[in-house]
Amino acid sequence: MLKLVGLLAAGASVASGSWLPDIITADVAIVGAGASGSYAAIRLKEDFKQSIVVIDKADHLGGHISTYDDPKTGKPFDYGVQTFNDYGPAKAFFERMGIEVSTAPRNVLTSQWADFTTGEPVAFTSPANDARVAALTRFLEVTEPYEQYFLPGYWNFPAPDKIPEDLLLPFNQFVEKYSIQDCVNQVFQVTGMGVGDMANTLTLYVLAAFGQPMIRGFLGKASSFTPNTRRNIALYEAIQARLGDDLLLSTTVVQSLRTPIGHTLWVKNAAGHSSIIIARKLLMAIEPTPANMEPFNLDPKEESVLSKFRYSSVHAGIVAHPSFPINGSVINLPAAAAPSNYLALPKPNFNSRFEYMGQGSDLFRVLMAGDEKFDKAAAQELVRENFAKLVEAGTLPATADPKGEIEFRAWADHGAMHMNVPAAELKAGFIQNLYALQGRRETWWTGGAFSVQFQSILWAFDDILIPKMLAK
């Protein structure tokens, strides 16, 4: 393999040809075009007048935004991010991008519960609404003092010996301590399921998945919204149009040379064409998994910190089959949840539910969470197994469908999410060591590992990070 210096020399000394790499220079190279990278790109380019280049392996912007335009009904269906919290710069950003927004209507569905490992029905009783609201209210009251420590980032996180005990409790112990069992199922089903084994996850990380802004929303103390078109991807289509030639989509970083005075990235697109990017600063807007970091030649300090992360793998999809109940949702709970053991939850790897998506369609949403090796093939095979068990047990009716196979209409591998470390690492100063990486080797970090997985909160995090990045 040619060294980057050799590639640079070749690019500089030989007349241009289709087989030669393009040479791109920029003030800031941004790796990743999800919520964090896309927002940062707009702000850096338009507000701070920086030249930028954005690299993403996907063929579109948006990260966990997944919109399916159904050819049968002609209607859009969002099966990744469902709504945007009215937090920080969110509404102003939509207005800036020319996207009108409003509160989205909610589907009213009839729920039934089943153990997807056996297919058998579970005689589960949901908590009364008053009890659920009371538990959510208590949850908010207890955790509001901690919000400053991790939203919109861990900038003010306490010193290792000052971390509140509540944040380091496994969530099941926190729930029992404050008697908030009646809201656990809602926390899990909405977004908490993404952490995987929620009952045994540290409360800090459950709050990162279902935090105070989300709780306020369900208590009517804050709002959320979507584009009036009900196509969440519309925001990122507008961003993509604004960024234009500054985007390198369907492109991956092959190798890099990172120094305190600038960076050289060798990237290759899906067609096999290479480009060489020379940038003064590097903004990493991808999750720092070992696979993602492999091209970036981490130094020993970076490696020692980032290698401590654990994470779950999350998938979202749209499926169809005549056996699924129109206007219904089949929710996965273990048999032990009956009748009202609210801390009995599915363990990874799992599909949380088959949920009808409405609008006169035949579409059902699935949400999957698993371990670090839980890839698309494993997730889809689990969907098939769950469905077969439900039909075999009679929980879902058999049909005259000649194939009897579930149909996958759309799929999104959201990859690594909810990166976390054990309590012992937090007590050893992990957060402080993580944030000490900001600016090291002129590399800056954004995204869920440094904040949380919610779009509008990530944008607020970028608003703090970018001035720090440009001031150095």
Side-chain angles (χ1 to χ4, degrees):
M1 182 179 292
L2 291 174
K3 297 293 186 181
L4 284 175
V5 291
L7 285 171
L8 286 169
S13 62
V14 181
S16 63
S18 61
W19 57 275
L20 289 175
D22 298 322
I23 308 296
I24 301 169
T25 61
D27 293 323
V28 183
I30 303 170
V31 180
S36 298
S38 297
Y39 181 85
I42 289 291
R43 291 229 58 203
L44 284 165
K45 179 178 181 177
E46 297 186 357
D47 298 339
F48 294 93
K49 309 306 178 187
Q50 300 289 295
S51 59
I52 63 167
V53 59
V54 184
I55 307 110
D56 197 283
K57 65 183 181 181
D59 62 0
H60 61 280
L61 277 61
H64 299 155
I65 298 290
S66 303
T67 302
Y68 174 64
D69 293 311
D70 182 23
K72 288 189 174 182
T73 63
K75 296 175 181 176
F77 293 87
D78 285 302
Y79 62 102
V81 172
Q82 296 292 285
T83 62
F84 298 87
N85 292 325
D86 186 5
Y87 182 97
K91 278 194 173 176
F93 188 50
F94 274 84
E95 183 177 359
R96 177 177 188 166
M97 292 296 110
I99 307 294
E100 296 183 350
V101 301
S102 57
T103 301
R106 293 186 179 274
N107 284 337
V108 178
L109 303 176
T110 300
S111 297
Q112 62 184 107
W113 292 270
D115 184 338
F116 285 13
T117 64
T118 65
E120 296 291 339
V122 174
F124 177 75
T125 302
S126 295
N129 187 61
D130 287 350
R132 178 190 62 82
V133 170
L136 275 179
T137 301
R138 178 66 171 151
F139 192 14
L140 182 61
E141 290 172 349
V142 170
T143 62
E144 270 189 321
Y146 309 141
E147 185 172 2
Q148 61 180 314
Y149 298 148
F150 58 92
L151 294 183
Y154 296 90
W155 307 104
N156 300 315
F157 198 74
D161 60 343
K162 302 293 184 183
I163 302 172
E165 177 189 5
D166 283 349
L167 297 180
L168 301 180
L169 287 176
F171 190 57
N172 57 1
Q173 295 181 26
F174 177 88
V175 167
E176 291 171 350
K177 177 178 179 179
Y178 292 105
S179 301
I180 59 169
Q181 290 88 343
D182 289 328
C183 72
V184 167
N185 193 255
Q186 182 175 33
V187 172
F188 180 82
Q189 291 297 336
V190 176
T191 50
M193 51 77 61
V195 302
D197 184 5
M198 190 181 85
N200 292 301
T201 296
L202 297 185
T203 299
L204 171 65
Y205 294 117
V206 174
L207 284 168
F210 188 98
Q212 292 86 351
M214 184 74 75
I215 301 171
R216 292 187 192 102
F218 282 101
L219 291 175
K221 297 181 178 181
S223 64
S224 62
F225 57 86
T226 68
N228 287 352
T229 60
R230 307 303 173 221
R231 293 183 73 252
N232 287 341
I233 197 66
L235 173 68
Y236 289 92
E237 291 170 343
I239 296 172
Q240 186 165 334
R242 291 271 273 266
L243 295 178
D245 293 339
D246 293 327
L247 292 171
L248 297 179
L249 299 179
S250 301
T251 298
T252 56
V253 178
V254 178
Q255 63 174 334
S256 64
L257 177 64
R258 296 167 53 225
T259 76
I261 60 172
H263 309 279
T264 304
L265 308 179
W266 177 22
V267 305
K268 183 178 290 188
N269 67 18
H273 183 72
S274 296
S275 299
I276 295 172
I277 298 169
I278 304 170
R280 290 192 302 111
K281 298 177 185 291
L282 179 63
L283 178 59
M284 299 291 285
I286 56 177
E287 299 289 37
T289 63
N292 284 346
M293 293 297 99
E294 198 277 333
F296 294 100
N297 301 312
L298 299 183
D299 68 18
K301 178 65 174 177
E302 294 167 332
E303 177 69 28
S304 69
V305 175
L306 298 178
S307 64
K308 292 180 168 63
F309 270 126
R310 309 172 302 184
Y311 57 89
S312 55
S313 301
V314 176
H315 301 260
I318 297 178
V319 299
H321 192 278
S323 291
F324 289 128
I326 299 299
N327 296 320
S329 181
V330 185
I331 301 171
N332 183 12
L333 282 178
S340 56
N341 179 8
Y342 300 137
L343 280 167
L345 300 168
K347 297 291 182 72
N349 303 334
F350 62 81
N351 169 26
S352 66
R353 59 191 178 272
F354 294 101
E355 177 182 62
Y356 182 58
M357 301 190 75
Q359 300 192 85
S361 73
D362 62 348
L363 305 178
F364 286 75
R365 182 180 180 226
V366 295
L367 290 171
M368 322 282 294
D371 59 27
E372 297 176 5
K373 297 181 180 179
F374 191 50
D375 60 12
K376 176 182 176 180
Q380 291 192 345
E381 182 58 28
L382 184 57
V383 170
R384 294 186 186 96
E385 291 175 5
N386 292 164
F387 174 70
K389 292 283 188 183
L390 290 167
V391 172
E392 182 181 349
T395 302
L396 291 179
T399 69
D401 178 59
K403 293 184 178 179
E405 295 179 357
I406 195 168
E407 182 181 354
F408 292 89
R409 299 281 180 84
W411 196 266
D413 180 351
H414 289 170
M417 290 183 64
H418 303 292
M419 304 195 82
N420 65 89
V421 297
E425 293 292 349
L426 294 170
K427 292 178 180 179
F430 175 81
I431 296 295
Q432 289 75 16
N433 293 335
L434 180 69
Y435 269 49
L437 298 182
Q438 295 286 14
R440 183 180 177 86
R441 300 170 74 190
E442 279 300 340
T443 301
W444 301 79
W445 304 82
T446 184
F450 286 76
S451 178
V452 299
Q453 301 280 181
F454 291 97
Q455 304 258 323
S456 54
I457 298 174
L458 289 169
W459 301 337
F461 176 87
D462 279 353
D463 283 343
I464 297 172
L465 178 69
I466 291 171
K468 293 178 181 290
M469 179 173 70
L470 298 182
K472 185 174 179 181

